[in-house]
Amino acid sequence: MEPGNTACHGCGATLSMRYVLKALGKNTVVSVPASCWAVIPGALPNRTLDVPMVYTPFAATGASISGLREALDIQGKEDYNVVGFAGDGGTSDIGLQSLSGAMERGHNVFYIMYDNEGYMNTGVQRSGSTPYGAVTTTTPIGKDRNFKKQNKKMVADLMIAQNVPYVATATVAYPEDLVRKLQNARKMEGPKFIQILAPCPTGWYFSPEKTIEVSRMAVQTHMFPLYEFQKGTLKLNKPANPLDVRSYLDLQARFSHLTDAEVDKIQAYIDERWSELLSKERNSG
């Protein structure tokens, strides 16, 4: 990844791409659908990446990386990494069928979901990955308090349920963990899915210099648990001193309208999900 891009200041998605390519190296082909990353490289003839990058329709990332993998194998280029790099809108919603198909067929590919919890490129609209309580342009407060009323769809959990050989969650606040997981995934044959929390200052309404702090707090409050799933065994990252979720929510204006009761509801959901993950870890393997 070269210097210079058109990303917003503090963009977690840009850091995500930098770490992914740092881990996977130059023998990598990246397929990107409609998303923030479709515009971050800039307009032609400018570019940000020194690896081949293929633009694909919004829903087709899974199909695109399947075709790229087959084509490279035919050419004898099995050592190339094929990476789908898609946002949460193009993964949890529009591209879910394509993703599931690629994983089911068993292609030796990486699917990276950079999760900024909304359709940020087109104006901060709600996605399936937007957490409960968040304000977006399609879930405004207004007099009816029309914030997001559904819990976040965790695509990584869905991939575990589909028995994908390698599944992990990661975030930009812990680059060593992210790079290690990518290197572990690289050693495995077959499909790999990694969901990276990529905080968005523009859509989450926090100052750009706080991206890493917000990312770290998501993990420390169990709002975004980090785990690694390999061939049926789940390993969960456990923060030494977990914090209440309010300390995470207070960093972002998209949650500033929440009442104490609504924050308690989020905390209860987080505690329940954390307990379920601990149980799965104990019973896996």
Side-chain angles (χ1 to χ4, degrees):
M1 185 169 167
E2 294 288 349
N5 57 66
T6 65
C8 302
H9 293 174
C11 174
T14 305
L15 286 171
S16 299
M17 178 69 87
R18 184 178 296 281
Y19 294 142
V20 167
L21 293 180
K22 188 179 184 68
L24 297 183
K26 292 184 177 180
N27 281 9
T28 300
V29 178
V30 179
S31 179
V32 174
S35 61
C36 292
W37 252 101
V39 296
I40 285 172
L44 287 173
N46 299 313
R47 65 176 186 173
T48 301
L49 304 184
D50 274 341
V51 298
M53 183 175 175
V54 178
Y55 287 106
T56 190
F58 218 154
T61 305
S64 173
I65 57 178
S66 300
L68 288 167
R69 178 74 276 161
E70 295 298 313
L72 287 167
D73 288 350
I74 289 170
Q75 297 176 55
K77 297 178 180 178
E78 292 91 349
D79 59 330
Y80 270 74
N81 304 301
V82 175
V83 178
F85 197 86
D88 52 281
T91 303
S92 66
D93 302 335
I94 294 172
L96 189 60
Q97 179 273 343
S98 177
L99 163 64
S100 180
M103 299 294 102
E104 187 273 332
R105 289 189 297 272
H107 296 288
N108 187 30
V109 294
F110 295 82
Y111 193 112
I112 308 296
M113 171 183 169
Y114 70 91
D115 186 4
N116 52 26
E117 298 188 333
Y119 291 84
M120 300 309 183
N121 181 45
T122 52
V124 194
Q125 293 90 0
R126 162 224 196 276
S127 81
S129 189
T130 305
Y132 170 88
V135 168
T136 69
T137 53
T138 49
T139 55
I141 286 293
K143 62 181 181 180
D144 296 325
R145 293 182 60 76
N146 188 31
F147 54 78
K148 172 81 181 294
K149 297 298 176 63
Q150 297 79 27
N151 287 318
K152 178 184 179 72
K153 183 195 297 185
M154 275 300 298
V155 181
D157 291 3
L158 298 179
M159 295 296 99
I160 289 177
Q162 192 174 321
N163 204 32
V164 173
Y166 186 93
V167 180
T169 58
T171 189
V172 295
Y174 300 95
E176 296 91 348
D177 176 74
L178 171 54
V179 169
R180 179 187 61 80
K181 286 172 175 173
L182 283 159
Q183 291 172 341
N184 286 346
R186 190 176 183 180
K187 297 172 186 175
M188 296 183 65
E189 188 74 16
K192 282 82 70 165
F193 179 88
I194 300 176
Q195 182 169 343
I196 303 174
L197 185 69
C200 173
T202 303
W204 297 13
Y205 309 118
F206 63 82
S207 298
E209 72 274 10
K210 292 185 177 294
T211 296
I212 300 304
E213 179 184 356
V214 170
S215 177
R216 186 179 299 115
M217 290 291 282
V219 176
Q220 292 176 339
T221 59
H222 297 165
M223 187 76 170
F224 191 85
L226 302 185
Y227 62 67
E228 187 175 43
F229 176 84
Q230 299 185 73
K231 296 182 178 179
T233 299
L234 180 71
K235 184 177 181 180
L236 189 61
N237 296 38
K238 302 178 184 68
N241 298 298
L243 304 171
D244 290 340
V245 74
R246 181 174 287 281
S247 56
Y248 172 73
L249 302 178
D250 285 348
L251 292 172
Q252 307 159 64
R254 63 175 177 158
F255 295 115
S256 61
H257 56 281
L258 294 177
T259 65
D260 288 344
E262 288 158 352
V263 172
D264 289 344
K265 183 176 181 179
I266 294 172
Q267 185 68 64
Y269 167 73
I270 289 171
D271 292 344
E272 180 181 1
R273 181 162 185 266
W274 183 255
S275 178
E276 290 174 353
L277 287 170
L278 289 172
S279 178
K280 289 178 180 177
E281 182 183 47
R282 287 193 299 268
N283 297 324
S284 68

